[in-house]
């Protein structure tokens, strides 16, 4: 009798582990062929898992790793969702596949003004499952086997596996810090720049798209108009599509300005602009995102969409529409969430910069977004040999050590670099400052303990 | 530069744009010819842009039309389901990303109740928590779903599988069952693979296969001659030899849909055994779309092919919250199967949408717990909905027969198809190259204000002619909608008897 048969005969009551072992053995005897599709090659590994697990294991650690707010969404957003789920029962059913009409309508009018375009809700707007879903849809619609995709490093980590899954080849170009001047207390990510010649050299006849992320995750760099004009001119010269990930567009600090590359001359017709309700209204769990673009490109995204998820959940879209309608009325006014949120987050950013500096971290002041990239070179020179796998980038060893010993969770910035470049940027870690006051105070406590130990 | 100027004038761009282009030294003549060629679609979506629903939902959008077309309930979801979502909408922290990875799941409510039933004589798997968590933390995990939801699904389905189901490794929560189909196909089907699709089929199977570069291989259900008794979905079967002839060494999978859309067929044990036998013989996978699993009518039983010997290890079984709780707009579905298959669906998930919406997943988990605890109770929605729908089914069978249509009584699901060939509709002003049923539905929508869906939309081009006399009606509709349909049918009948014509 096979092991499975014995189990069923009730001769033993196997544990879940035993069952799994038995099942996998049985499988090895049966399925002889390769199971997974080749398109998954290079996309399986998920480096986040280890850190999420560690953060869960060390429950006392202050989690400044993953990028989501731990404060409530604004009241108007909660109310909008509550109304959507308690209202007309038909909102529990499918809505229009390409976006709930009130949502696509307000997105078209709101962003049309910002981009200087007359947007049609049916042809220029697509609602997706988060900005993540928007990115996937864009890659699948437009990146073909053998196409090259230029990715600016450091990059939000999904761009690379999404390129691979579409059969494309990622081509990386790094933002690099100019040598920091000694008299400067605080480095800024405006010092992190692309070399124009290097960038131009990355374009080949096979380049299909360039992925732009502004404000950038993890650096927090807000690309200025001149930088965007450089990217724009190269995209036009080489007839390349621009996928512009602008999820943090409202989180802009100091006197910086967010510029959408689609609003630059010659760019609307070759740009897909991606946004996120999650980041806009601090409701990451709603998973509502969108893409804006010209119909001749958007139609291909609609084809992917109707063959992948088809519809997005209705009620969250109803709520997001209401939130945008509110913001449209209050645009530019002090009570606008798009004014209040960045003001509050700037305070959090400043608090975090100050606290981290006291322990010897060197933060790179972010101009926008959720995150602070921090230089840990001091620690690398003082504690070069932390436990870790052979050839594991230093920042990963450091983060694991810090979670276990100092109770602070961050994310190693080498996550956001391509394999060959990870070693060059292994002295940076990323903190998320979009957290409530209590969390930042808990961070301060951990840092004070750390500081006390350093003095001994 | 002059040519470039003319081109941009033609496109109607503003003067500033022209100035920028003209003064730019970067652009040259060479970009003109490139412009139209590069910004085009990837090959994977070539030919997949059309969609039957776009056309027919537009037609049915006229408020004077009684819409029995798209499979969308107009009945209210059960009160407790709506209440759970309302409650969850008040909880702040459920508005952020769910963790999605396997982690501390806490004690299972089943174990807390101390309840065991005949279906579930073993202790709840969560009492083994410490042992299963240790394997969970050392393994490389990917996204599975909101912790309380995967736990509830595990608890529910282990009653049917007679096996414990690891909530973190053997379940994936997706954007509707549609999303599960997509993940399964993208994760497991490769370019050049053949996949067997039974005709008629839920229309997305074919384009999803093509997008994955696979070759769909079609086999139609065929009806035996029906004399004297009512035509039933069980009269439609697969010819065993014909089915086996479709399998070969290139066959990667077969897609099974039971209960079936649009026919309403509920595959019998013998039919499933045949399919299972062939899957094992040819070493193929089975993607089993069981979204209508609870909607099975008297005299029929839904069977899960994954519970047949040798099938767990090669089957991905798909379910749907939308169809289970009449909440299609929540767009939550799930895939259940062995880890060596589910992990590839999880990989697709982490590279496509990463996670599904949190509050909906939590509400679904709570709704599931309510019904899991009363599976034998007539009040359990899994029992009450099919009872409610059986009445509606019988009503619509009668209505369709009364106007001369020949319905096929479904054993499950919420659709019914009817042969419309006995109606002499004047379809002369319809497009010639369309199948008969497309023309008939458009005629019926326009002239009788009753919308349905042509069954040839569920066929590949070669089999369309076999099904073009059939039209699909959805009956998960409130009584007033069916009353309105009845009015239309009565009027239609009166017009027929008055005119003496069979129209």
């Amino acid at each position: 009798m096979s092991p499975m048969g014995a189990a069923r005969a009730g001769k033993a009551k196997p544990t879940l582990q035993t069952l799994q072992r038995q099942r996998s053995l049985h499988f090895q005897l049966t399925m002889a062929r390769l199971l997974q599709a080749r398109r998954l090659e290079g996309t399986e590994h998920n480096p986040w898992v280890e850190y999420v697990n560690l953060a869960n294991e060390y429950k006392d650690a202050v989690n400044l790793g993953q990028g989501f707010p731990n404060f409530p969404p604004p009241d108007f957003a909660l109310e909008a969702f509550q109304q959507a789920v308690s209202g007309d029962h038909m909102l529990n059913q499918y809505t229009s596949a390409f976006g709930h009409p009130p949502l696509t309508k307000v997105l078209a009018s709101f962003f049309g003004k910002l981009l200087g375009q007359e947007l049609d809700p049916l042809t220029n707007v697509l609602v997706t499952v988060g900005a993540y879903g928007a990115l996937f849809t864009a890659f699948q619609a437009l990146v073909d086997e053998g196409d090259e995709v230029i990715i600016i490093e450091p990059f939000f980590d999904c761009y690379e596996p999404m390129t691979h899954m579409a059969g494309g080849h990622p081509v990386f170009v790094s933002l690099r810090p100019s040598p920091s001047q000694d008299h400067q207390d605080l480095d800024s990510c405006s010092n992190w720049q692309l070399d124009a010649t290097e960038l131009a050299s990355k374009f080949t006849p096979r380049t299909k798209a360039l992925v732009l992320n502004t404000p950038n995750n993890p650096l927090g760099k807000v690309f200025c108009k001149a930088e965007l004009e450089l990217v724009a001119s190269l995209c036009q010269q080489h007839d390349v599509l621009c996928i512009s990930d602008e999820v943090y567009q409202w989180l802009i600090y100091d006197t910086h300005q967010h510029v959408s590359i689609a609003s630059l001359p010659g760019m609307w017709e070759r740009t897909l602009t991606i946004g996120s309700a999650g980041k806009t209204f601090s409701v990451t769990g709603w998973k509502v995102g969108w893409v804006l673009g010209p119909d001749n490109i958007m139609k291909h995204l609609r084809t992917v969409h109707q063959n992948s998820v088809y519809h997005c959940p209705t009620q969250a879209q109803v709520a997001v529409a209401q939130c945008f309608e509110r913001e449209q009325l209050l645009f530019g006014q002090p009570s606008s969430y798009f004014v209040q949120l960045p003001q509050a987050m700037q305070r959090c950013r400043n608090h975090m910069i100050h606290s981290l500096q006291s322990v010897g971290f060197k933060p790179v002041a972010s101009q926008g977004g959720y995150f602070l990239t921090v230089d840990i070179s001091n620690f690398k020179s003082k504690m070069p040999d932390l436990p870790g796998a052979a050839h594991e980038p230093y920042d990963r060893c450091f983060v694991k050590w810090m979670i276990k010993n100092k109770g602070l969770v961050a994310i190693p910035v080498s996550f956001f670099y391509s394999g060959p470049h990870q070693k060059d940027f292994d002295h940076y870690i990323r903190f998320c400052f979009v957290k409530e006051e209590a969390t930042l105070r808990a961070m301060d406590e951990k840092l004070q303990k750390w500081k006390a130990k350093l003095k001994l | 530069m002059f040519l470039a100027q003319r081109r941009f004038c033609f496109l109607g761009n503003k003067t500033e744009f022209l100035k920028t282009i003209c003064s730019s030294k970067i652009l040259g003549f060479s970009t003109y010819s490139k412009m139209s060629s590069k910004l085009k679609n990837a090959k994977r979506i070539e030919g997949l842009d059309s969609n039957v629903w776009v056309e027919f939902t537009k037609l049915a959008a006229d408020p004077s039309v009684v819409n029995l077309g798209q499979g969308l309930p107009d009945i209210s979801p059960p009160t407790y389901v709506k209440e759970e979502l309302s409650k969850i909408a008040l909880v702040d922290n459920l508005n952020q990303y769910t963790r999605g990875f396997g982690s501390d799941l806490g004690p299972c409510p089943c174990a807390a109740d101390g309840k065991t039933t005949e279906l579930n004589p073993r202790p709840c798997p969560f009492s083994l928590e410490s042992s299963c968590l240790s394997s969970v933390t050392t393994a490389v995990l990917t996204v599975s779903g909101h912790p309380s939801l995967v736990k509830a699904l595990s608890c529910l389905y282990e009653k049917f599988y007679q096996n414990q189901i690891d909530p973190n490794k053997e379940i994936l929560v997706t954007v509707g069952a549609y999303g599960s189909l997509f993940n399964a196909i993208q994760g497991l089907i490769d370019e050049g693979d053949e996949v067997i699709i039974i005709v008629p089929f839920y229309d997305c199977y074919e384009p999803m296969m093509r997008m994955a570069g696979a070759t769909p291989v079609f086999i139609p259900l065929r009806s035996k001659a029906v004399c004297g008794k009512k035509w039933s979905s069980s009269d439609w079967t697969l010819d065993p030899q014909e089915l086996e002839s479709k399998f070969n060494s290139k066959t990667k999978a077969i897609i099974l849909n039971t209960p079936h859309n649009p026919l309403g067929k509920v595959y019998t044990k013998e039919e499933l055994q045949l399919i299972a036998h062939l899957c094992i013989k040819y070493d193929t996978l089975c993607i089993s779309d069981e979204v209508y699993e609870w909607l099975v009518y008297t005299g029929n039983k839904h069977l899960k092919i994954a519970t047949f010997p040798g099938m767990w290890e090669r089957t991905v079984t798909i379910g749907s919250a939308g169809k289970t709780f009449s909440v299609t707009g929540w767009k939550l579905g799930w895939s259940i199967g062995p880890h060596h298959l589910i992990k590839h669906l999880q990989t697709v998930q982490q590279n496509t949408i990463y996670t599904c919406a949190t509050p909906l997943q939590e509400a679904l988990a709570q709704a599931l717990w309510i019904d899991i605890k009363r599976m034998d109770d007539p009040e359990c929605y899994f029992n009450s909905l099919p009872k409610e729908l059986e009445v509606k089914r019988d009503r619509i069978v009668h209505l369709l027969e009364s106007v001369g249509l020949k319905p096929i009584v479904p054993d499950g699901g919420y659709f019914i198809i009817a042969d419309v060939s006995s109606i002499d509709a004047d379809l002369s002003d319809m497009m010639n190259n369309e199948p008969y049923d497309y023309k008939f539905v458009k005629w019926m929508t326009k002239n009788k204000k009753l919308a349905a869906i042509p069954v040839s939309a569920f066929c590949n081009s070669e089999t369309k002619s076999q099904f073009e006399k059939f039209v699909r009606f959805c009956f998960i509709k409130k009584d007033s909608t069916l009353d309105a349909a009845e009015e239309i049918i009565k009027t239609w009948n009166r017009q027929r008897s008055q005119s003496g014509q069979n129209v």
Side-chain angles (χ1 to χ4, degrees):
Chain A
M1 193 188 270
S2 71
M4 293 294 275
R8 286 203 202 99
K11 285 186 178 169
K13 283 211 185 338
T15 62
L16 185 59
Q17 267 179 313
T18 314
L19 274 176
Q20 284 169 343
R21 266 202 308 277
Q22 287 169 350
R23 278 196 207 142
S24 74
L25 209 73
H26 197 210
F27 144 66
Q28 281 156 22
L29 299 171
T30 52
M31 298 288 305
R33 62 170 77 210
L34 179 68
L35 289 171
Q36 73 270 28
R38 285 186 298 266
R39 68 181 63 82
L40 299 189
E41 268 161 42
T43 71
E44 286 105 322
H45 181 57
N46 187 339
W48 292 90
V49 175
E50 195 181 1
Y51 296 86
V52 171
N53 285 343
L54 260 180
N56 289 334
E57 198 185 324
Y58 288 84
K59 293 201 187 299
D60 269 346
V62 180
N63 195 344
L64 304 168
Q66 238 182 325
F68 58 84
N70 66 353
F71 48 76
D75 286 338
F76 66 82
L78 291 174
E79 278 156 23
F81 189 62
Q82 284 154 19
Q83 278 168 28
V85 305
S86 322
D88 177 7
H89 75 80
M90 285 307 288
L91 294 178
N92 287 290
Q93 308 307 334
Y94 294 129
T95 181
S96 306
F98 302 129
H100 186 59
L103 178 56
T104 52
K105 182 173 174 212
V106 72
L107 289 173
S109 76
F110 192 95
F111 287 98
K113 288 197 194 71
L114 292 177
L115 297 175
Q117 292 286 331
E118 193 77 41
L119 296 185
D120 181 327
L122 289 175
T123 55
N124 300 128
V125 184
L126 175 67
V127 176
T128 55
V129 181
Y132 214 98
L135 286 161
F136 174 72
T137 306
F139 277 94
Q140 287 287 307
L142 300 157
V143 175
D144 234 327
E145 196 87 28
D147 283 347
E148 290 178 6
V149 176
I150 296 175
I151 297 176
I152 299 169
E153 300 189 286
F155 58 93
F156 179 53
D157 66 297
C158 79
Y159 304 157
E160 187 181 1
M162 283 189 183
T163 301
H164 283 302
M165 197 168 154
H169 298 303
V171 170
F172 299 99
V173 58
S174 297
L175 284 159
R176 293 177 204 285
S178 349
S180 56
Q181 280 116 43
D182 288 322
H183 65 267
Q184 268 189 329
D185 286 328
L186 185 62
D187 196 6
S188 161
C189 55
S190 55
N191 280 336
W192 288 65
Q193 285 162 0
L194 290 171
D195 178 279
T197 317
E198 188 187 358
L199 177 62
S201 75
K202 302 293 179 178
F203 285 79
T204 76
R206 286 174 304 284
T207 310
K208 185 71 182 275
L210 177 144
V211 184
L212 177 69
N213 176 215
T214 178
N216 166 282
N217 173 7
L219 267 182
K221 178 182 174 64
V222 172
F223 284 74
C224 66
K225 194 165 180 218
E227 290 169 317
L228 294 177
E229 281 169 344
L230 168 66
V231 172
S233 72
L234 287 167
C235 285
Q236 288 173 69
Q237 182 186 347
H238 296 276
D239 192 26
V240 161
L241 180 79
C242 181
I243 298 174
S244 187
D245 176 352
E246 303 185 13
V247 296
Y248 300 108
Q249 72 178 112
W250 306 111
L251 287 159
I252 307 289
Y253 309 123
D254 309 312
T255 52
H256 301 292
Q257 297 268 337
H258 174 76
V259 178
S260 286
I261 197 170
S263 65
L264 297 185
M267 288 308 286
W268 168 253
E269 46 260 47
R270 58 180 66 255
T271 305
L272 292 172
T273 305
I274 290 174
S276 156
K279 305 294 192 283
T280 296
F281 296 112
S282 309
V283 286
T284 58
W286 290 10
K287 290 293 292 187
V288 175
W290 54 84
V291 192
L292 309 167
D295 183 38
N296 63 310
I297 302 179
M298 292 296 288
K299 69 183 184 194
H300 304 309
L301 277 76
R302 290 195 290 270
T303 300
V304 172
H305 184 83
Q306 81 194 22
N307 288 302
S308 56
V309 298
Y310 201 10
H311 300 87
C312 293
T314 311
Q315 288 141 324
Q317 291 187 67
V318 171
V320 174
Q322 217 175 301
C323 291
F324 265 107
E325 283 157 14
R326 178 218 195 240
E327 284 303 303
Q328 199 166 39
L329 290 172
L330 297 173
F331 193 70
Q333 293 173 44
S335 54
S336 154
Y337 194 63
F338 299 167
V339 170
Q340 294 186 336
L341 183 66
Q343 277 171 359
M345 293 307 103
Q346 182 164 323
R347 288 193 290 272
C348 292
R349 178 201 66 167
N350 295 345
H351 178 151
M352 186 178 270
I353 287 173
H354 183 74
S355 301
L356 291 174
Q357 280 176 322
S358 69
V359 184
F361 285 112
K362 292 214 305 266
V364 178
S366 37
Q367 300 163 321
Y370 270 19
F371 306 104
L372 197 57
T373 292
V374 171
D375 187 331
I376 54 170
S377 308
N378 284 347
F379 295 92
K380 193 178 179 190
S381 54
K382 288 180 196 147
M383 306 184 298
D385 301 310
L386 289 176
H391 308 300
E392 193 171 9
Y394 181 80
D395 55 345
R396 300 186 193 204
C397 307
F398 182 84
V399 164
K400 285 188 265 194
W401 171 86
M402 188 174 70
I403 295 174
K404 293 174 188 170
N405 295 284
K406 300 298 172 191
L408 286 171
V409 185
I411 299 291
V413 164
S414 63
F415 266 13
F416 307 99
Y417 277 92
S418 58
H421 297 158
Q422 283 169 9
K423 275 285 188 211
D424 301 331
F425 293 93
D426 69 346
H427 52 288
Y428 295 99
I429 62 178
R430 184 197 82 172
F431 288 92
C432 175
F433 53 79
V434 175
K435 302 291 175 189
E436 59 184 0
E437 209 23 62
T439 308
L440 297 178
R441 281 200 299 269
M443 167 194 73
D444 287 342
E445 264 180 53
K446 301 284 186 192
L447 288 170
Q448 271 152 28
K449 281 199 190 116
W450 191 341
K451 188 173 171 185
K453 281 221 170 119
L454 288 172
K455 284 187 172 146
L456 294 171
Chain B
M1 205 41 74
F2 178 67
L3 258 178
Q5 248 180 323
R6 274 228 323 239
R7 164 106 174 129
F8 292 118
C9 285
F10 177 70
L11 288 173
N13 284 284
K14 297 177 188 152
T15 3
E16 299 95 52
F17 181 5
L18 282 172
K19 277 193 202 144
T20 312
I21 298 301
C22 290
S23 63
S24 161
K25 293 196 171 74
I26 297 168
L27 266 186
F29 285 101
S30 57
T31 61
Y32 175 67
S33 53
K34 274 192 218 162
M35 189 75 148
S36 53
S37 65
K38 261 223 197 158
L39 301 185
K40 65 177 174 60
N41 54 291
K43 290 197 267 298
R44 69 181 59 81
I45 55 170
E46 201 59 43
L48 304 185
D49 46 315
S50 70
N51 184 294
V52 64
W53 305 105
V54 174
E55 195 179 3
F56 286 93
T57 45
K58 220 193 266 181
L59 263 182
D62 175 351
S64 66
V65 169
V66 175
N67 190 356
L68 301 185
Q70 201 186 358
L72 188 143
D74 65 4
I75 59 173
S76 174
T79 311
Y80 59 91
V81 172
K82 291 187 291 183
E83 272 169 5
E84 287 308 321
L85 185 55
S86 294
K87 272 192 252 171
I88 268 112
L90 297 169
V91 179
D92 290 349
N93 65 11
L94 288 173
N95 290 289
Q96 307 306 335
Y97 293 129
T98 178
R99 274 172 307 171
F101 299 111
S103 55
D104 176 17
L105 298 172
C108 168
C110 287
D113 270 358
K115 244 191 205 174
T116 56
T117 66
E118 273 175 16
L119 282 171
N120 182 18
R122 304 169 311 284
C124 172
F126 295 99
S127 58
L128 303 170
E129 199 174 331
S130 56
S131 61
C132 71
L133 267 187
S134 63
S135 66
V136 151
T137 51
T138 52
V140 175
L141 295 171
T142 53
V143 289
S144 54
H146 186 59
S148 62
L149 177 55
V150 291
K151 194 186 341 181
L153 289 168
S154 160
C155 213
L156 170 63
Y157 284 105
E158 57 138 31
K159 298 176 198 298
F160 298 93
Y161 285 92
Q162 303 292 314
N163 280 326
Q164 289 159 3
I165 298 173
D166 184 328
N168 299 310
K169 290 168 139 189
E170 296 175 335
I171 300 182
L172 174 66
V173 175
T174 55
V175 181
Y178 214 95
S180 272
L181 286 162
F182 182 74
N183 281 25
I185 292 167
Q186 285 284 311
L188 301 169
I189 309 298
D190 228 330
E191 210 154 312
D193 283 345
E194 287 184 13
V195 179
I196 297 172
I197 298 179
I198 299 165
V199 183
F201 52 91
Y202 180 56
D203 70 298
C204 79
Y205 300 162
E206 185 184 357
M208 282 192 184
M209 287 302 165
R210 295 203 189 276
M211 193 170 152
T215 306
V217 170
F218 299 98
I219 175 168
L221 285 158
R222 298 181 192 280
S223 178
K224 50 179 181 257
V226 176
C227 306
K229 68 175 192 57
K230 266 208 207 300
W231 205 1
S232 159
S233 58
S234 58
D235 294 320
W236 291 74
T237 56
L238 294 170
D239 178 277
Q241 276 150 340
E242 190 184 5
L243 180 60
E244 177 148 17
S245 76
K246 305 291 179 178
F247 281 80
N248 61 51
S249 57
K250 290 226 229 49
T251 311
K252 187 70 182 278
I254 179 169
I255 302 194
L256 175 67
N257 177 214
T258 180
H260 183 267
N261 176 7
L263 257 177
K265 176 181 174 64
V266 175
Y267 285 71
T268 63
K269 186 177 178 196
E270 292 69 33
E271 288 171 320
L272 295 175
Q273 271 170 343
L274 169 64
I275 294 171
H277 164 74
L278 290 169
C279 285
I280 293 167
K281 181 174 176 183
Y282 290 89
D283 195 24
T284 71
L285 299 174
C286 180
I287 298 172
S288 189
D289 175 353
E290 301 184 11
V291 297
Y292 302 105
E293 59 184 308
W294 310 109
L295 302 177
V296 171
Y297 306 124
T298 310
N300 297 279
K301 188 168 157 59
H302 173 71
L303 298 171
K304 293 183 162 301
I305 198 170
T307 60
F308 285 50
M311 289 306 287
W312 166 258
E313 47 262 46
R314 58 182 70 252
T315 307
V316 173
T317 305
I318 293 172
S320 157
K323 308 294 191 271
T324 295
F325 285 115
S326 307
V327 288
T328 58
W330 288 27
K331 286 293 295 192
L332 285 173
W334 47 84
S335 291
I336 296 181
H339 184 57
H340 57 261
L341 295 181
I342 295 295
K343 73 182 182 190
H344 300 306
L345 280 72
Q346 290 173 334
T347 299
V348 174
Q349 186 90 329
Q350 88 187 18
N351 291 301
T352 53
I353 58 148
Y354 211 81
T355 54
C356 295
T358 315
L360 294 167
Q361 291 190 73
E362 180 61 32
L364 177 59
Q366 296 306 321
L368 283 168
W369 286 129
I370 290 173
D371 280 328
I372 287 170
K373 289 181 182 150
R374 54 177 188 178
M375 297 281 288
D376 297 326
D377 200 322
E379 293 275 294
C380 171
Y381 201 60
F382 309 157
N383 302 323
S384 66
L385 183 62
K387 288 255 173 324
E388 186 185 340
L389 288 181
E390 191 162 343
V391 173
K392 294 182 195 281
R393 176 199 72 170
D394 295 342
R395 184 178 177 188
I396 202 169
V397 166
H398 176 74
L399 282 176
L400 295 172
E401 281 173 340
S402 72
V403 81
L405 298 177
K406 288 212 283 285
I408 298 164
V409 181
D411 289 327
Y414 52 60
F415 300 107
I416 182 167
I417 76 174
D419 182 329
V420 303
S421 50
S422 59
I423 306 285
D424 287 327
D426 176 13
L427 307 179
S428 53
D429 62 337
M430 302 288 161
M431 284 164 66
N432 270 332
N433 56 356
E434 280 197 326
Y436 183 88
D437 53 354
Y438 274 67
K439 293 193 273 200
F440 184 89
V441 165
K442 288 179 186 174
W443 171 87
M444 188 173 68
T445 309
K446 193 169 142 198
N447 295 284
K448 302 297 174 190
K449 299 293 183 188
L450 183 63
I453 299 289
V455 171
S456 63
F458 302 97
C459 300
N460 62 310
S461 40
E462 282 79 32
T463 51
K464 278 194 200 297
S465 54
Q466 290 174 40
F467 289 93
E468 67 172 337
K469 292 296 165 68
F470 293 94
V471 159
R472 186 194 83 169
F473 298 88
C474 172
F475 56 86
I476 185 165
K477 300 292 176 184
K478 54 188 194 254
D479 287 340
S480 55
T481 307
L482 295 176
D483 291 341
E486 185 166 349
E487 272 314 300
I488 288 171
I489 302 275
K490 284 189 175 144
T491 312
W492 191 345
N493 259 333
R494 270 198 300 274
Q495 288 167 348
R496 285 174 77 208
S497 36
Q498 277 164 11
S499 69
Q501 286 175 319
N502 200 11
V503 182

